[in-house]
Each structure stands twice: as structure tokens, then as C-alpha cells.
Amino acid sequence: MFSKTFAAIDVGSFELSLKIYEVSKKNGMRQIDHVRHNIDMGTEIYSNGILSFERVEDLCKTLKEFKKIMNSYKVEAYQAYGTSAIREAKNMDILLDQIEQKSGVHIDVLSNSEQRFLDYKSIAFQGEKFEKFIGQGTAILDIGGGSIQMSLFDEHSLISTQNMKLGVLRLRDNMKTLNASLRQYDHFVEELAESQLTTYKKFYLMNKSIENLIVVDDYFSSILNNKNSSGYSETSTAKYADIDEYIELISSDSQEAVAKFFSISEDDIALLYISLLLIQKVMSTTGAKTAWAPGVTLCDGIAYEYAEKGELVKANHNFEDDIVACSKEISKRYMGSNERSETLEQIALNIFDTMSGISGLEKRDRMLLRISAILHDCGKYVSMLNLADCSYNIIKNTEIIGLSHKERLIVANTVKYNQTVFNYYDEQNTTEGLDRMDYKRIAKLTAMLRLANGLDRSHKMKFKDVHTAIEGGKLMITIETDEDISLEKGLFGRRANFFEEVYNLKPVIHQKRGF
């Protein structure tokens, strides 16, 4: 059976990790090697934004070794990702160029939402156990070096996600600044975390019942999945009392004894302790009774994404539904009209599908248009007068897990230009990292959203159905309704003009009566 050898590299805040996988349609994914090397990049970058010469040299040396290992396995493809430490470096572009020139390894940088989505994917590929957990009230706690991510599920769908700068490396550095002993960590971590977790509970948990906590981290997951005579859970789960017991053990015993008991290095004890304290605080805040650590890593998510795109594996979970559900929750938070959004979504996607052969847009763009329709009026919560700019700023600054920062900007601009004059690429004061191709996508999506919006200008959803078809040089739009649509027809030209400019097709409304 045909199989591929793939390598995933995670350039993390505290560790470089390489995993080699064999991937095939018949056997799915099989990990065949895992190599790790500690390099504390986070401490330097979180403190001053720059990585020292010595750290860069160590990083490049390790990546060279990784490359040799990949060659020995005859790896056919690899993907290397940098996370928060690389992302927060002031000289990120220079640093990435240095690394590639010296090591021969190209590193792409994940936005926070992309990184957490890959972690989430790696959990979802655990199959039945994951689906069972999220069928009840569940939160994912993703603990990184620089921050933690809290994601909530409701009825099997991901509905919200929030990032807080409470990562284990960042908190450990705070402890060092305070000259805190290990015994004092509990008090200081609680003080640092309490305000953020209390705010999170107020705005996002509200009356939601959380039964389970799924934990992704490098330390708690490691000890919980280390099945040996020490008595760790063979189900990779722990109760609140178990977490409390681990914390008590670390704070009361010698570091040598703790390291031996948990089979970790003494250097990792402080990070494990902080991770356990965060899990304890989150369980206390959410009321979660069980913590499950599936033992997955970012490398697993990278590999699953590769295998999924190559159609070598298939997930039972629909990730696009999660992105849409998250967007609907954002709309709800800003008092958006669910019924109006659904109408706009239906029309916009109808137009998109009709234009699929000539628009030059891809399947992913269809989802971006869908999210734009869902969030089209979120800015009204702030200002009805400045709807365009307020909507833009809300979307730009609200994390939607699964969307890259660039995709979020595309959605933000599409929603903005639905309500205001379109600024062409050369008219921009700042492009915010968007290139000409991105602005073409924005123009095309905006044209479709404007047209859909123009068909329901009164916001009264007068029609039962809309059909679109291309005939000659026209986009024929058939509306099935017996109601008066004079307003829609009268103001339609303003919305249709931009569509005609972008696609060189003239939209024409045809009313079909008799319903």
C-alpha cells in the first residue's frame, strides 16, 4: 500500500520537537520517531523581543540535526512552524531568514488562532473519546509558553475561544522577578490568573455547565500519559483531587524526589508546577470535574493537517462547522440578527455557487463569505452611524479559531466595504500585510455580499427563495415573492454597480409571483 513519510517540526518557546510519521490511506498515521531538544527562546523574547546570538546558533545547530534525521528516514515532505516566541520577536523576518540560511530549514509562523486550531485538530482526531467528551459541557485548556487558550464547546460545536497571557514560561519569569520560592508559586499564580479567569467566567461562561476539561500542554500531559508503577491513570484523566495531590507533592518534597517520581528533569519541575496550578485554577473557575490529557502535540496537528489535505486521512468531526458556530456566537454577543444573517448567508452563498466557474475564488473563500454574512452587522452594537469601521475593528480584533490573521482581515474588510466606498489597493494608507491578490479576493467577496445585502435592503426578508443563473452577460436573480419589492429594485443599482465592475456581469432582478 502506498505510504508517505512526513516530518513535523514545532519550534516552540521552550523546546524544539521533531516527529516523523508514516501516512497512508490504509493505515492512517503512524508515528515512527520523536526527537526533542530544549532551547529556552521564550524567556529572552518575552523579556526583550530579541533572540541572542548564542540561542540562534543553538537553534540552527538543532535544526541541522533534525534535517539529518529527516534525510535518514527519506522524508518526502516536512512542515516547520514557529509559535509565540518566534511570533513575538521584534526582528521576526530577519530571524527567520537567518535560520533558513544557516540550517536549510524553512519555518512558517503560525498566528495564535492557527496554532490553537492545529492543537484542537490533533485532539479531534482522537475519535470517539473526543466526541463523547464534547457531547457534555467541555472546555479545552491549551497551555503554551507565552499564553493559554480557553475554548468552549456547546452541543458538539466550538462556540468561543479566548487567549490569555498566562503561559508557563511567562509566569515562571514573573516568579523569578519576584524571587519567589516554589512554595510561593501557588499564591502568586493565583493572583496573576484570578482577574483574567474571573473576567473570562463573567463574559463567556455565564450559565454554561462545564463537566470536562481537555488539557493540551507539555508537562501535565507527559506525566499523565507516563503509565508506570507510580500509579498514573491509564485513561489519561484526572480528577480535581488528583491535581491537588500532585501540587501538594511538588511543594512539599525535594526537587530530586519530585523529578524521580514524575520521571522528569529538575529543570522542568517549575513548569510542571505552574501547569498544574493553572489547571487547578481553571477547573475551580469552570466547575469541571475531570481533566483529560490526550497527550497530543502541535506536531500531531501539523501531521493531521498534511494528511487531511492529501486526503490520506479523514476526520469524523466537521471543523468548518466549528468556525461557523464560533462566528455565530460572536454575532450573538454583539446582538446581531440571527434570522437576517441566515437570509443574507443563503443569498450570498447562492451567488457564490453560481459564480464558482468564473469568479476565480476557492472553496475556502466560500467560508470567508459565509462568515462575512454572519458578522455583517456586528458593528451596530457600538455605533449605527459608524457601522463599517466598528464592524471592521470588532472582527479584526476578535480571534476566530481556525482562521489565520490574514483571513480575519479579509473578512473584516469585506464586511467594512459592504457598507462603505471600496478603497482600491493603491489607495490604502496601510495594507496591514495584505497584498494585491488579497485585495482582489476582498473585492470579489465584497461584490457578492453587497449584492446579497441589496436584495434584502428593507431587512424584512420579503422573499421565500432566490435563484441565480448566468445568462449571456447578465446575472439573472429570480426572487419568489408576492410582496412589494419596489424598495429593493429601486436601490438595487447602487449595490449592483460594484458587482458589475468586478465581474463584468450585470445583475438583473426578476420577480416571480403566485405563492
Side-chain angles (χ1 to χ4, degrees), residues 232-493:
Y232 299 133
S233 168
E234 294 190 1
T235 60
S236 302
T237 59
K239 301 295 185 183
Y240 185 90
D242 299 322
I243 307 296
D244 205 38
E245 186 179 322
Y246 294 150
I247 289 171
E248 178 64 27
L249 175 66
I250 294 174
S251 62
S252 62
D253 215 334
S254 70
Q255 291 207 354
E256 183 181 354
V258 170
K260 185 177 180 180
F261 181 83
F262 288 119
S263 300
I264 60 174
S265 71
E266 291 187 25
D267 291 338
D268 287 343
I269 291 174
L271 298 173
L272 168 62
Y273 192 42
I274 293 170
S275 194
L276 288 168
L277 289 171
L278 286 170
I279 294 165
Q280 185 189 57
K281 305 310 175 196
V282 169
M283 290 183 79
S284 177
T285 300
T286 61
K289 300 175 180 63
T290 303
W292 172 42
V296 295
T297 67
L298 178 61
C299 285
D300 297 320
I302 296 169
Y304 281 124
E305 184 180 62
Y306 167 79
E308 190 180 22
K309 285 181 178 178
E311 298 183 349
L312 298 171
V313 299
K314 186 176 181 180
N316 294 323
H317 192 78
N318 190 317
F319 297 107
E320 184 171 320
D321 284 352
D322 288 323
I323 298 172
V324 171
C326 197
S327 302
K328 288 183 177 179
E329 191 70 16
I330 294 167
S331 175
K332 182 180 177 182
R333 191 185 315 150
Y334 290 101
M335 309 296 287
S337 167
N338 184 53
E339 191 176 6
R340 159 70 174 158
S341 292
E342 285 181 357
T343 300
L344 195 60
E345 183 184 339
Q346 178 189 359
I347 301 171
L349 295 183
N350 189 310
I351 294 168
F352 185 98
D353 293 340
T354 300
M355 297 290 295
S356 61
I358 61 173
S359 67
L361 296 172
E362 299 176 353
K363 183 180 178 182
R364 185 74 173 180
D365 296 306
R366 189 180 192 275
M367 187 182 68
L368 298 184
L369 178 62
R370 189 179 181 188
I371 296 170
S372 300
I374 292 168
L375 298 175
H376 76 282
D377 63 349
C378 62
K380 287 181 180 178
Y381 184 84
V382 179
S383 170
M384 295 181 68
L385 181 64
N386 297 310
L387 172 60
D389 287 336
C390 290
S391 296
Y392 170 84
N393 284 311
I394 286 171
I395 298 167
K396 175 188 171 185
N397 294 294
T398 303
E399 193 166 72
I400 304 174
I401 195 166
L403 294 191
S404 67
H405 178 66
K406 177 178 281 192
E407 287 175 327
R408 204 163 72 237
L409 284 175
I410 289 172
V411 172
N413 277 287
T414 299
V415 171
K416 174 183 176 181
Y417 292 129
N418 176 50
Q419 298 291 343
T420 191
V421 176
F422 188 85
N423 287 331
Y424 299 92
Y425 184 79
D426 292 326
E427 297 174 339
Q428 300 295 319
N429 293 324
T430 173
T431 60
E432 295 185 294
L434 299 175
D435 59 25
R436 288 184 183 274
M437 291 301 295
D438 297 322
Y439 265 86
K440 286 181 184 178
R441 291 170 74 191
I442 293 167
K444 291 176 180 181
L445 294 173
T446 299
M448 292 180 181
L449 187 62
R450 280 190 185 183
L451 201 62
N453 202 24
L455 292 170
D456 188 30
R457 196 68 188 89
S458 66
H459 293 200
K460 291 184 178 179
M461 294 153 281
K462 298 175 180 178
F463 36 81
K464 295 183 178 179
D465 210 348
V466 175
H467 301 280
T468 56
I470 297 172
E471 296 179 10
K474 299 177 180 178
L475 177 69
M476 302 301 297
I477 304 168
T478 303
I479 299 175
E480 299 178 356
T481 183
D482 288 328
E483 294 197 40
D484 180 7
I485 59 168
S486 300
L487 177 67
E488 280 73 17
K489 283 185 174 180
L491 298 179
F492 185 65

Side-chain angles (χ1 to χ4, degrees), residues 206-218:
M206 292 177 282
N207 297 321
K208 292 182 177 68
S209 174
I210 303 299
E211 294 290 323
N212 304 309
L213 186 68
I214 302 176
V215 179
V216 179
D217 82 327
D218 292 325

Side-chain angles (χ1 to χ4, degrees), residues 196-206 284-286:
Q196 293 192 54
L197 289 174
T198 300
T199 301
Y200 176 82
K201 182 176 182 179
K202 178 181 178 181
F203 285 103
Y204 297 98
L205 283 178
M206 292 177 282
S284 177
T285 300
T286 61

Side-chain angles (χ1 to χ4, degrees), residues 49-50 83 85-99 108-110:
I50 300 292
T83 55
I86 300 289
R87 190 166 59 236
E88 293 188 28
K90 293 177 183 177
N91 62 340
M92 182 183 73
D93 292 328
I94 294 172
L95 177 60
L96 291 173
D97 183 65
Q98 284 180 4
I99 292 168
D108 293 308
V109 179
L110 292 169

